[in-house]
Amino acid sequence: MVNDQHNDSILILDFGSQVTQLIARRVRESGIYSEIFPFSKADEAIKKLKPKGIILSGGPASVNNQDAPTIDDKIFDLKIPILGICYGQQIMCSLLGGEVEKSNEREFGRANIKFLKPSPLFEGFDIKGNTEPVWMSHGDKVTKLPKGFEVIAESKNAPFAAISDEIRSFYGVQFHPEVVHTPNGAKLLKNFTHKISGCSGNWTMDSFKKVAIENIRTQVGKGKVICGLSGGVDSSVAAVLIHEAIGDQLTCIYVDTGLMRENETDEVVNLFRENFNIPLIDVDAGDTFLTRLTGVSDPEEKRKIIGSSFIDIFEEEANKIGGADFLAQGTLYPDVIESVSFTGGPSVTIKSHHNVGGLPERMNMELVEPLRELFKDEVRELGKELGIPSHFIERHPFPGPGLAIRLPGEISSKKADILRKADTIYIEEIRKAGLYNEIWQAFAVLLPVQTVGVMGDERTYDFVCALRAVTSLDGMTADYYPFQQEFLANVSTRIINEVKGINRVVYDITSKPPGTIEWE
């Protein structure tokens, strides 16, 4: 693989913090490529990335526990600048001869640090006698510094809130600069990456595109590639990028599962055939998918059935065109993160509709995943670089399982039709209100619950429809969108009046920590 865009890179070693991915986002926002690796793969990560700086993330463990996650202390002999955040600060101090103890006065939430000494870490901060708001989340605290370190900031319950060894370029902070609750946290991280680690900050989508194209050409050679289109942005951007790299060596396969959004098939087919002239096979496989899903209610089982059905169809279509050497997918970095336990435990089952673990052995194909290093908003930016129309790029995410994961319980074509109509009305009203681009993802869910209601002079026994809308920047965290009551009342009235089979509408106001934002 060609890695020119990674010449200036920052390695993030993850110790299990829920917000580790936010560190990567902040670093990338400043124009530097960053990648997260589990702490247990530190050696492998350093060899791969050759980073100019290393960040040790936070984590839920105590460094004093016997089974606490740790790293080889040889990392401190590499002459690479290191920043430890929260647990990262504590493990650094513990390994270098300092002491960490359980605090009698823990800090969770907003706090103020007081600057004690100037430091490159605080360049651009107003440090003369001033305090700085930060976000704390710790039960342990450093009580003795390793040799060579000094205190550069303190807080009420953390006497070593920020520390530094300027000679070796080692820094530690007890607070979390990556979260928005630390207003100048991005500035602190940029000081570490640009000024202390010496990164140039020239990583852009244009540079990524050029290197990605070369990587695809190197990997594929003269081979044939098929790309499965789900109707979403990820697979579409991956397909256009691959086509730019290898032209007609790529054939796209769009599978209508019978669980697509309204007019989805027409939009996708028109985009690829008319806008980009990319070879495209469209398969109407609604009966196949719905038959295989009959009687299945477990969401994970649905994913597996849908995933294996896609593979079967791709394999069949590939054989029709004389075979293929590669299968392309729109796997993103959050898919990779969520499909691996970064604290060394077993793999989790999130995002299992992506084959991040590989393909079935019977398929004699290799995966091509050119977006594997990107967050969702970066994929949208890449799509614009590739000339994909903005109305398509800005569409809300639509995962491979489609309406299947928005139909909890058993699936039928009748229920899919009811949900599709409700979802269409919901999105129409969001667009009409000018809110579509303020929302990351909005969709309707047909709950496996029926309630008694009265409509006109008749008693009904119909389904409950749930509406969900969330805001997000990276596809890893989400918060519900605060619709006005008038909007919700209008949408609910339209759905109940126009969609036969629904007699009640509710709005979900659940926020989500790092993890999938889809409905399960």
Side-chain angles (χ1 to χ4, degrees):
M1 299 288 282
V2 181
N3 283 309
D4 288 348
Q5 82 267 37
H6 301 169
N7 281 347
D8 282 359
S9 64
I10 295 292
L11 168 63
I12 300 163
L13 293 179
D14 182 32
F15 290 90
S17 169
Q18 283 195 326
V19 292
T20 298
Q21 80 288 342
L22 294 181
I23 305 173
R25 292 297 301 118
R26 300 293 171 262
V27 173
R28 290 190 183 190
E29 284 166 4
S30 66
I32 299 169
Y33 181 78
S34 63
E35 195 166 335
I36 301 169
F37 275 77
F39 70 91
S40 57
K41 295 187 177 180
D43 289 345
E44 174 189 329
I46 291 167
K47 288 177 183 177
K48 176 190 173 186
L49 284 185
K50 298 180 176 58
K52 285 196 169 182
I54 298 173
I55 297 177
L56 311 178
S57 87
S62 168
V63 298
N64 294 315
N65 291 346
Q66 187 173 356
D67 58 350
T70 189
I71 50 176
D72 192 324
D73 61 6
K74 290 180 182 177
I75 195 172
F76 301 108
D77 298 328
L78 298 176
K79 296 183 179 180
I80 299 174
I82 297 175
L83 170 64
I85 295 173
C86 199
Y87 182 90
Q89 181 206 47
Q90 295 165 10
I91 195 68
M92 179 165 61
C93 287
S94 179
L95 291 172
L96 290 174
E99 293 181 4
V100 178
E101 297 178 4
K102 196 167 193 65
S103 176
N104 293 324
E105 296 178 316
R106 300 179 299 172
E107 284 184 306
F108 293 99
R110 289 180 174 83
N112 287 299
I113 60 169
K114 180 181 178 182
F115 298 111
L116 300 179
K117 289 187 176 182
S119 168
L121 200 63
F122 296 139
E123 187 168 322
F125 287 69
D126 186 8
I127 69 170
K128 292 185 178 179
N130 289 312
T131 60
E132 181 76 21
V134 299
W135 185 263
M136 292 280 191
S137 180
H138 66 98
D140 291 357
K141 65 180 181 182
V142 176
T143 55
K144 178 184 175 183
L145 291 181
K147 185 178 180 181
F149 280 82
E150 60 181 353
V151 188
I152 55 176
E154 65 181 4
S155 73
K156 181 180 179 182
N157 295 319
F160 304 124
I163 60 176
S164 71
D165 179 337
E166 305 290 355
I167 301 298
R168 292 183 288 180
S169 294
F170 294 163
Y171 299 84
V173 294
Q174 186 58 73
F175 53 90
H176 287 272
E178 68 272 30
V179 300
V180 295
H181 307 85
T182 301
N184 283 315
K187 182 190 292 186
L188 183 150
L189 290 171
K190 189 172 182 179
N191 282 340
F192 175 74
T193 58
H194 287 64
K195 300 184 184 303
I196 295 170
S197 301
C199 294
S200 60
N202 59 0
W203 188 70
T204 64
M205 270 305 109
D206 180 59
S207 65
F208 175 87
K209 180 183 76 171
K210 291 174 182 175
V211 176
I213 287 172
E214 289 304 312
N215 285 340
I216 293 166
R217 289 170 179 165
T218 300
Q219 180 184 6
V220 171
K222 296 182 179 180
K224 291 183 180 180
V225 182
I226 60 171
C227 179
L229 298 177
S230 67
V233 173
D234 306 340
S235 60
S236 299
V237 172
V240 174
L241 177 66
I242 294 168
H243 185 257
E244 188 157 326
I246 60 173
D248 288 349
Q249 289 172 246
L250 169 71
T251 299
C252 289
I253 300 174
Y254 171 75
V255 180
D256 186 339
T257 64
L259 297 164
M260 313 306 291
R261 292 177 290 200
E262 193 164 284
N263 300 321
E264 189 83 36
T265 298
D266 289 342
E267 289 183 20
V268 173
V269 171
N270 289 338
L271 174 73
F272 281 84
R273 284 187 177 156
E274 295 182 11
N275 285 51
F276 291 100
N277 196 28
I278 297 175
L280 174 67
I281 299 169
D282 59 295
V283 183
D284 183 355
D287 290 344
T288 299
F289 279 84
L290 290 169
T291 298
R292 293 184 181 185
L293 290 166
T294 300
V296 179
S297 58
D298 179 73
E300 189 58 27
E301 187 63 23
K302 289 178 186 176
R303 288 183 180 277
K304 290 178 180 178
I305 290 171
I306 291 169
S308 63
S309 298
F310 270 120
I311 292 296
D312 290 344
I313 292 170
F314 294 153
E315 197 170 23
E316 182 181 342
E317 295 300 325
N319 289 334
K320 289 180 182 178
I321 62 173
D325 307 290
F326 300 88
L327 174 64
Q329 291 191 153
T331 306
L332 305 190
Y333 198 36
D335 301 327
V336 177
I337 293 172
E338 292 173 345
S339 298
V340 177
S341 174
F342 270 57
T343 52
S347 294
V348 294
T349 55
I350 300 173
K351 295 286 186 185
S352 51
H353 58 285
H354 281 284
N355 294 300
V356 291
L359 292 171
E361 289 184 9
R362 74 173 194 274
M363 292 191 72
N364 190 25
M365 293 187 202
E366 183 181 331
L367 278 175
V368 179
E369 298 172 306
L371 311 182
R372 193 179 174 89
E373 298 173 342
L374 300 183
F375 286 95
K376 188 76 173 190
D377 57 317
E378 293 171 330
V379 172
R380 294 185 192 278
E381 189 179 343
L382 176 60
K384 293 175 183 176
E385 286 278 346
L386 292 165
I388 300 176
S390 60
H391 74 272
F392 195 92
I393 287 297
E394 292 166 1
R395 293 198 314 167
H396 292 174
F398 188 65
L403 299 183
I405 57 172
R406 298 169 187 179
L407 281 165
E410 292 189 24
I411 294 174
S412 68
S413 59
K414 180 181 178 180
K415 288 169 69 175
D417 285 339
I418 292 172
L419 175 56
R420 198 165 8 245
K421 291 173 184 175
D423 190 72
T424 299
I425 291 171
Y426 184 32
I427 298 302
E428 281 178 0
E429 290 300 316
I430 287 174
R431 289 188 183 279
K432 192 184 298 182
L435 301 175
Y436 190 82
N437 289 336
E438 291 183 27
I439 296 169
W440 166 263
Q441 186 181 43
F443 54 84
V445 178
L446 195 68
L447 300 181
V449 175
Q450 289 178 278
T451 64
V452 175
V454 176
M455 300 178 70
D457 296 324
E458 295 183 359
R459 190 177 294 273
T460 63
Y461 186 60
D462 288 325
F463 289 104
V464 177
C465 175
L467 305 179
R468 179 150 171 75
V470 296
T471 58
S472 179
L473 290 175
D474 50 27
M476 295 289 289
T477 57
D479 199 1
Y480 73 91
Y481 186 83
F483 285 121
Q484 296 294 318
Q485 187 62 38
E486 182 181 354
F487 173 86
L488 293 173
N490 183 49
V491 172
S492 300
T493 299
R494 273 202 66 189
I495 290 174
I496 291 171
N497 285 342
E498 299 177 32
V499 183
K500 188 176 180 180
I502 295 174
N503 67 2
R504 189 155 302 178
V505 178
V506 297
Y507 181 57
D508 174 38
I509 58 170
T510 306
S511 298
K512 292 289 287 183
T516 179
I517 61 176
E518 297 161 12
W519 185 289
E520 295 284 15

